[in-house]
Amino acid sequence: MGFSPGAFEGTLGETAGVAEPAAVTVVIPTFNESANVRELLHRLTDSVPARLPCEVVFVDDSSDDTPAVIAEAAQDCPFPVTVIHRDSPDGGLGGAVVEGMKAAGSDWIVVMDADLQHPPSLVPDLVATGEKESADLVVASRYLPGGSRAGLAGGYRVAVSRGATWLAKGLFPRALHGISDPMSGFFAIRRSAVTAEALKPLGYKILLELAVRCRPGGVAEVPFVFQDRFAGESKSTAREGLRFLRHLVGLRTAAPLARMAAFGLIGLTGFVPNLLALHALVTAGLHYLPAEILANQFGVLWNFLLIEVLLFRDRRHHRHWADRVGRFALLANADLVLRIPLIALLVGQFHLAVLPATTLALLTTFVLRFAGTEALVYLPRGGRSTRSRTGTARSTS
Ligand code: GDD
Ligand code: MN
């Protein structure tokens, strides 16, 4: 990074009253924003460096000439501008932000969009608020008095954004306490509060990821008016909505017990395809016993697909999919085969009544099946995670 705090010696004295002069790295993800970046750097130049030393890091996944336009416009900037161009856009917008945070050289990091929906003039206010209130995270919120989502096109997007906010806040009441706008893409965070290794961002909701996995101490908010896009179009698609739901499940099931509960819920939904298939097979004239066995496979497949997408998304790559589906099906059918002798044992040897014996057997085989699935299908070979997970992420709320 070309950022040297010394370059700002002339302006450091202006932040009187604060023990240590703050500096900021502005991280800006870009995906084909060539028509916006020049104006953005212009407005940043107008509003930031006089009040706050800064550097700008673009993390770019563009297929257009955005990097070239940035490089040209950067020549007129009084602060260092870096472009990190990624050849593979891992994690989309969120992945890009994490990449930029790793490269940040200042105590404060501000994340903002490149399309001028986030007013650059607010960057110094976000940092000043964090310093003043000794907060680790300052969110620019559309839902505070004085803020609004004027630039959010259409009632549909407003409703989706509201629904997503409620859902996230309902699932993470503690981690999102004090954050009225967890969907905001505009915020300041202390670099010391970011454990980049612990982050596994997926798509647009990087603030949610940070708030849940890093648990910044002390949160403040500043209202802002979400502007219209300066140029170009939003890159958000219906696919982003699905990614968001997967992201929520991933965050919520980071702890083993929560994962087991989700595994159980998914298992329950498997009754639907199971029963539908059973009905179809019996109607087609098959004897009910082979029909049971066959129908069970539909439930198994349904469960397999759901846990792959929702629960073990980042643990799938140690085994070939055919290997995974084979092992999963084996465990699921063993469950069925084991349950009957287990019930017989509980009733015959331990003199339990049929109902409690069945309940106990169901629970036992369920836990065994969950543990088996974790260990035999999704645990990396050798038993260790291939990527280091040394970050000090705290557990979810
Ligand atoms: N590097 C990179 N990679 N940048 C991306 C990618 C990607 O895959 N996808 C989008 N971006 C960049 C865009 O170029 C833009 O600078 C910024 O991320 C936001 O993208 P938009 O497409 O303009 O998003 P939006 O306006 O629909 O959504 C914004 O507002 C939402 C609140 O309604 C974002 O700030 C969201 O995070 C926020 O939730
Ligand atoms: Mn936008």
Side-chain angles (χ1 to χ4, degrees):
M1 292 299 314
F3 181 57
S4 76
F8 304 109
E9 263 156 24
T11 51
L12 292 185
E14 292 178 14
T15 42
V18 177
E20 265 182 54
V24 66
T25 299
V26 183
V27 172
I28 307 171
T30 47
F31 181 67
N32 297 350
E33 301 288 2
S34 59
N36 289 312
V37 286
R38 196 187 313 271
E39 180 66 17
L40 173 68
L41 283 174
H42 222 84
R43 293 205 205 160
L44 277 170
T45 303
D46 284 348
S47 49
V48 183
R51 294 157 67 191
L52 183 68
C54 77
E55 64 165 342
V56 175
V57 176
F58 286 94
V59 186
D60 181 69
D61 293 325
S62 299
S63 50
D64 71 356
D65 61 343
T66 300
V69 177
I70 295 171
E72 205 225 288
Q75 290 172 4
D76 303 326
C77 290
F79 43 77
V81 176
T82 316
V83 183
I84 301 173
H85 181 77
R86 305 195 303 167
D87 290 325
S88 70
D90 301 329
L93 168 52
V97 169
V98 171
E99 204 63 38
M101 289 179 149
K102 285 185 186 158
S106 322
D107 292 344
W108 280 97
I109 298 167
V110 165
V111 176
M112 69 188 298
D113 293 349
D115 55 7
L116 292 157
Q117 294 196 280
H118 299 155
S121 58
L122 213 64
V123 171
D125 298 342
L126 289 174
V127 175
T129 302
E131 291 280 332
K132 201 170 67 211
E133 301 191 12
S134 299
D136 279 352
L137 172 69
V138 185
V139 179
S141 168
R142 296 164 289 179
Y143 301 129
L144 288 183
S148 91
R149 36 182 200 281
L152 204 56
Y156 167 73
R157 280 216 60 179
V158 171
V160 168
S161 176
R162 258 301 184 197
T165 303
W166 282 336
L167 188 61
K169 284 187 71 84
L171 281 171
F172 301 99
R174 264 189 293 156
L176 299 183
H177 182 78
I179 303 180
S180 62
D181 193 355
M183 302 298 128
S184 178
F186 191 20
F187 56 89
I189 188 161
R190 276 185 214 269
R191 199 178 49 159
S192 58
V194 179
T195 44
E197 307 74 30
L199 300 172
K200 302 181 221 167
L202 184 63
Y204 270 50
K205 305 310 174 191
I206 180 65
L207 174 58
L208 177 68
E209 173 81 16
L210 281 165
V212 172
R213 289 211 210 266
C214 296
R215 294 303 173 89
V219 178
E221 287 197 308
V222 170
F224 91 106
V225 178
F226 194 65
Q227 307 287 334
D228 283 322
R229 232 176 193 276
F230 182 70
E233 296 179 344
S234 169
K235 313 302 185 297
S236 169
T237 54
R239 215 172 148 229
E240 274 308 323
L242 285 180
R243 265 180 153 190
F244 168 64
L245 291 179
R246 271 191 4 219
H247 191 189
L248 277 182
V249 175
L251 283 173
R252 191 60 285 183
T253 57
L257 214 59
R259 209 160 46 242
M260 187 159 90
F263 188 82
L265 283 178
I266 291 172
L268 285 179
T269 68
F271 286 142
V272 177
N274 192 331
L275 291 174
L276 286 176
L278 183 68
H279 176 73
L281 291 169
V282 171
T283 313
L286 199 64
H287 186 270
Y288 81 94
L289 278 180
E292 290 278 1
I293 295 171
L294 221 62
N296 193 48
Q297 308 317 310
F298 282 86
V300 169
L301 202 65
W302 165 271
N303 288 346
F304 176 75
L305 292 175
L306 278 184
I307 68 158
E308 283 263 306
V309 175
L310 291 174
L311 275 191
F312 296 102
R313 181 180 64 88
D314 51 353
R315 291 210 252 156
R316 291 185 303 198
H317 305 293
H318 325 293
R319 291 181 193 284
H320 191 263
W321 70 266
D323 188 6
R324 298 197 304 274
V325 83
R327 283 165 177 262
F328 183 81
L330 211 65
L331 282 165
N333 285 296
D335 176 348
L336 208 65
V337 176
L338 265 178
R339 209 179 301 152
I340 304 300
L342 187 59
I343 293 171
L345 185 80
L346 290 171
V347 174
Q349 297 290 312
F350 296 93
H351 309 294
L352 255 64
V354 173
L355 228 56
T358 307
T359 311
L360 197 61
L362 274 170
L363 283 175
T364 311
T365 52
F366 166 72
V367 172
L368 282 177
R369 187 171 150 196
F370 173 69
T373 303
E374 285 247 319
L376 301 176
V377 188
Y378 294 105
L379 199 68
R381 290 159 204 250
R384 270 185 321 116
S385 177
T386 40
R387 256 178 283 159
S388 76
R389 287 267 180 274
T390 45
T392 51
R394 279 157 256 181
S395 72
T396 53
S397 69

